[in-house]
Amino acid sequence: PDGAVFYDPKNAENLTEEEIAVVRWLARGFYGDHPTDPGTAWTVDQSANGHVDLEHYRVVGRDARNVTLDYTLEEKVPGATGYAATREGSLVYDTALTVPVKAAFQSDTRRQVGAAYETTRTSVTLALTADSFAKR
């Protein structure tokens, strides 16, 4: 219900952070009883064991069925294989059907590799293209 993903750690390289974000939004319990009034906000804190994982959501618009959210993520993993990541974007979410309708975000991930830093930038745009529950 909360979008948590369980997988065999041996297959971790086959799962991207972007896919994990989308799976969270597809969870039936993602929006729950969060506010729909523009200007309201909440944070999802999944930090544990020194790993910082904070998702921030703010309602920027609403109509009869959808809310539009600003979305940011800050993630920090300490240690020799650690990294720091940020993600910013927007999400249009259908609160009646509990599904994302549109999402767009940009991510920056920075990790130290030897004496140098490696930065990876990702841009994702998603849109619901078919809805089996929509009126015909």
Side-chain angles (χ1 to χ4, degrees):
D2 65 356
V5 178
F6 297 97
Y7 56 90
D8 184 340
K10 290 183 278 187
N11 295 319
E13 70 276 356
N14 296 323
L15 186 63
T16 68
E17 290 297 320
E18 294 78 17
E19 289 169 323
I20 291 171
V22 173
V23 167
R24 283 186 191 146
W25 297 334
L26 289 170
R28 289 293 176 206
F30 165 73
Y31 207 90
D33 61 356
H34 289 297
T36 58
D37 295 327
T40 57
W42 70 94
T43 297
V44 177
D45 185 352
Q46 296 186 336
S47 303
N49 302 324
H51 178 136
V52 174
D53 188 343
L54 298 168
E55 291 180 316
H56 305 282
Y57 296 91
R58 186 171 60 85
V59 179
V60 295
R62 175 183 83 181
D63 63 23
R65 191 174 188 131
N66 298 325
V67 292
T68 301
L69 307 169
D70 272 346
Y71 162 70
T72 61
L73 167 87
E74 51 186 292
E75 190 174 27
K76 294 179 186 157
V77 177
T81 60
Y83 62 92
T86 58
R87 187 179 303 138
E88 295 182 343
S90 64
L91 174 66
V92 177
Y93 194 82
D94 184 325
T95 57
L97 295 178
T98 62
V99 295
V101 178
K102 290 187 210 175
F105 58 86
Q106 299 76 42
S107 300
D108 285 328
T109 304
R110 184 177 172 168
R111 70 181 73 231
Q112 188 168 355
V113 180
Y117 283 98
E118 174 185 273
T119 301
T120 304
R121 291 187 170 85
T122 306
S123 181
V124 175
T125 303
L126 307 166
L128 181 66
T129 59
D131 182 353
S132 61
F133 292 105
K135 292 182 181 179
R136 295 180 187 246

